[in-house]
Amino acid sequence: MTEKWQARRSDAPDNRPRDHRTPWQRDRARVLHSAAFRRLQSKTQILGIGQNDFYRTRLTHSLEAAQIGTGLVNQLRLNCPPALQGLLPDDSLMEALCLAHDLGHPPFGHGGETALNFKMLAYGGFEGNGQTLRIVAKLEPYTEFHGMDLTRRTLLGLLKYPVLQPEIPLLPSVDNPLSLADWKPAKAIFAADSDILDWVLAPLSAADRQSFQQVQQLTQSPWQKSCHKSLDASIMELADDIAYGVHDLEDAIVLGNLRYQQWQDFTAAPFAQLDQAYQRQLAELATKLFSPKHHLRKDAIGSLVNQLITSVSLYQSLPSCQEPLIRYNARLADAEQHMLQTLKNLVYRCVIQLPEIQQSRFRCQNMLLKLFDAFSSDPQRLLPLNTQARWQAAVDNTAKQRVICDYLSGMTDDYAERMHQTLFGN
């Protein structure tokens, strides 16, 4: 198992004989030193870049997720059966996954993601996790053809949705609708990158792969949802959710976007479903969270993160599968998962859906739509020279549009704003 999951797609010989790092340490270094990782410092987490100097960006979110991810792994080492100890990811591997998990997010957060997906509907769609795989395995110029050339296990851990994009059942009849609510992306890997997906999943038997790639048809949209992910991806996603639900909650409280009464109104019903001991603990935490004394709030945040992390355990998500990396997943205990989901819902309902944030998202979405139209209309005049070369080398129009999408999705918020000003003057 070790050899096949430590393999790199280039299969290039190791030309650094005195480099004694593990494969996972090398993967972590490649992510950390990449241009795509540096760009996260100027990409939106929730609030737009420049609106305040306190809140988290995609970069600080990823750093916090990495710290939480290694905390989850260390907790699993304490409480999982001895026979499964060797299955757990190395700390450097988990850090690499958490640091890389948001590399594919475009400027302006999920609003920008939806805008690019709308423009790419006829060419295979756009989705942040699919773009992450594309960056690490193809675009980042660490190697000529294989991006960062990360190990197979690292790539497997980055696959939150290990399935290909479905066919688009219905294309819109207008170029730029004012509302993009109906065109949120399907959670999947781009068809153009099917060769990467096939290589990552090559060690799986046919039966294991069929089970691992099961999908569920969604009733509220034309899309499907993948049902499974690997062990490493499940830990990474828990770390991502905890960082989002707890640390973004902290931003909202400090910046005054969330008040104590809103907390009370929103959490009363879901927290009432928990045992009395949990309810008392959460009531004490709420008092500290909204205290004017900053050290009390930090203590409450730390206590909340600790409670979530220490509830983690392994379970068999695909008991019939032979490959242990997909047979096992990590999860929080029921009460802690309920708490975390409530916090995520709170952040979404009381912060992300604030009119001023949605108004900013609307403006930024439309900027990206206009930028896509501009570069698509005259790529050989407007694209940077290195991107022009990629565009000219693309084999067909679908591939050419993907090059334009790669360019736009790699922009930071600041760069996209400046480019819009350069091209349109407003």
Side-chain angles (χ1 to χ4, degrees):
M1 184 180 79
T2 299
E3 183 176 351
K4 65 185 179 185
W5 291 112
Q6 289 184 0
R8 301 182 189 276
R9 197 168 180 221
S10 68
D11 200 26
D14 183 3
N15 59 357
R16 296 174 182 174
R18 287 178 292 184
D19 186 351
H20 299 296
R21 294 174 298 170
T22 68
W24 323 124
Q25 288 173 326
R26 296 177 69 183
D27 282 358
R28 178 186 179 277
R30 293 180 185 191
V31 172
L32 191 60
H33 293 288
S34 67
F37 182 72
R38 291 194 298 276
R39 291 190 185 103
L40 296 179
Q41 67 186 303
S42 189
K43 288 195 177 188
T44 292
Q45 174 65 9
I46 290 183
L47 299 173
I49 300 299
Q51 293 180 15
N52 192 286
D53 62 0
F54 168 83
Y55 58 82
R56 289 158 170 91
T57 64
R58 290 275 174 192
L59 181 69
T60 57
H61 163 77
S62 298
L63 292 170
E64 288 172 338
Q67 185 271 326
I68 293 170
T70 55
L72 289 164
V73 172
N74 289 327
Q75 185 64 34
L76 287 169
R77 291 195 184 109
L78 291 175
N79 60 24
C80 82
L84 298 179
Q85 290 284 335
L87 180 62
L88 295 175
D90 179 270
D91 282 359
S92 293
L93 170 57
M94 184 48 53
E95 286 186 353
L97 294 177
C98 293
L99 293 174
H101 82 280
D102 268 351
L103 292 183
H105 269 284
F108 313 127
H110 288 290
E113 181 183 45
T114 304
L116 289 181
N117 180 59
F118 178 80
K119 283 299 181 183
M120 289 295 292
L121 285 172
Y123 311 105
F126 178 85
E127 192 274 328
N129 188 246
Q131 189 68 15
T132 293
L133 180 67
R134 188 169 173 80
I135 287 170
V136 301
K138 186 173 288 187
L139 299 180
E140 189 68 25
Y142 189 93
T143 62
E144 185 174 3
F145 300 112
H146 303 297
M148 298 183 198
D149 197 25
L150 304 180
T151 59
R152 180 182 267 122
R153 179 165 178 174
T154 300
L155 293 179
L156 178 69
L158 286 172
L159 294 176
K160 293 173 66 173
Y161 319 107
V163 296
L164 292 178
Q165 289 267 4
E167 292 291 328
I168 308 298
L170 179 66
L171 294 176
S173 57
V174 293
D175 291 333
N176 290 340
L178 290 179
S179 174
L180 294 177
D182 294 333
W183 303 107
K184 293 180 180 179
K187 303 296 186 180
I189 303 305
F190 308 137
D193 300 322
S194 61
D195 58 327
I196 303 172
L197 182 62
D198 287 340
W199 183 82
V200 174
L201 302 184
L204 302 183
S205 68
D208 276 10
R209 178 164 179 171
Q210 183 177 15
S211 297
F212 186 53
Q213 293 188 293
Q214 289 176 348
V215 295
Q216 170 190 359
Q217 190 66 42
L218 300 179
T219 57
Q220 301 301 317
S221 78
W223 306 128
Q224 61 191 25
K225 178 182 179 181
S226 60
C227 300
H228 303 289
K229 57 182 63 68
S230 70
L231 167 64
D232 300 341
S234 72
I235 302 172
M236 176 265 286
E237 191 164 44
L238 284 177
D240 184 21
D241 284 350
I242 293 172
Y244 167 76
V246 179
H247 290 134
D248 289 350
L249 170 70
E250 181 185 13
D251 279 1
I253 293 171
V254 173
L255 296 175
N257 292 323
L258 182 66
R259 299 181 302 278
Y260 180 72
Q261 189 58 50
Q262 289 175 289
W263 167 282
Q264 293 286 83
D265 293 342
F266 188 89
T267 64
F271 284 169
Q273 300 174 32
L274 299 171
D275 292 343
Q276 288 292 327
Y278 281 109
Q279 293 183 44
R280 287 193 296 270
Q281 180 186 7
L282 288 165
E284 293 174 5
L285 283 173
T287 301
K288 291 183 177 180
L289 281 173
F290 291 91
S291 170
K293 298 180 179 180
H294 295 312
H295 71 280
L296 293 179
R297 184 180 62 252
K298 295 303 294 186
D299 179 65
I301 291 294
S303 297
L304 193 51
V305 171
N306 178 71
Q307 179 167 349
L308 295 171
I309 288 177
T310 54
S311 77
V312 71
S313 64
L314 294 183
Y315 74 104
Q316 295 194 53
S317 59
L318 284 170
S320 63
C321 286
Q322 298 300 308
E323 172 53 59
L325 282 180
I326 65 171
R327 185 193 313 155
Y328 292 94
N329 270 195
R331 64 183 175 190
L332 304 184
D334 290 344
E336 279 73 16
Q337 182 59 46
H338 182 76
M339 289 165 53
L340 178 57
Q341 190 59 52
T342 300
L343 296 180
K344 290 173 60 181
N345 292 342
L346 174 67
V347 170
Y348 180 77
R349 291 284 299 277
C350 298
V351 181
I352 293 176
Q353 287 192 318
L354 283 173
E356 51 266 39
I357 290 180
Q358 289 302 313
Q359 289 163 9
S360 175
R361 176 175 289 189
F362 178 86
R363 180 181 71 88
C364 294
Q365 279 183 330
N366 281 279
M367 278 199 297
L368 268 186
L369 293 174
K370 291 175 68 177
L371 285 173
F372 195 101
D373 287 343
F375 286 109
S376 182
S377 69
D378 202 347
Q380 297 188 78
R381 185 160 66 107
L382 300 179
L383 286 174
L385 293 179
N386 60 334
T387 309
Q388 281 188 38
R390 285 188 58 223
W391 183 88
Q392 290 168 349
V395 296
D396 55 30
N397 188 47
T398 295
K400 290 179 183 296
Q401 296 297 94
R402 182 62 65 186
V403 170
I404 295 171
C405 185
D406 288 339
Y407 173 60
L408 289 172
S409 69
M411 291 181 175
T412 64
D413 294 20
D414 293 337
Y415 187 82
E417 292 256 15
R418 292 197 302 272
M419 182 59 70
H420 188 270
Q421 175 71 24
T422 297
L423 294 180
F424 298 102
N426 52 47

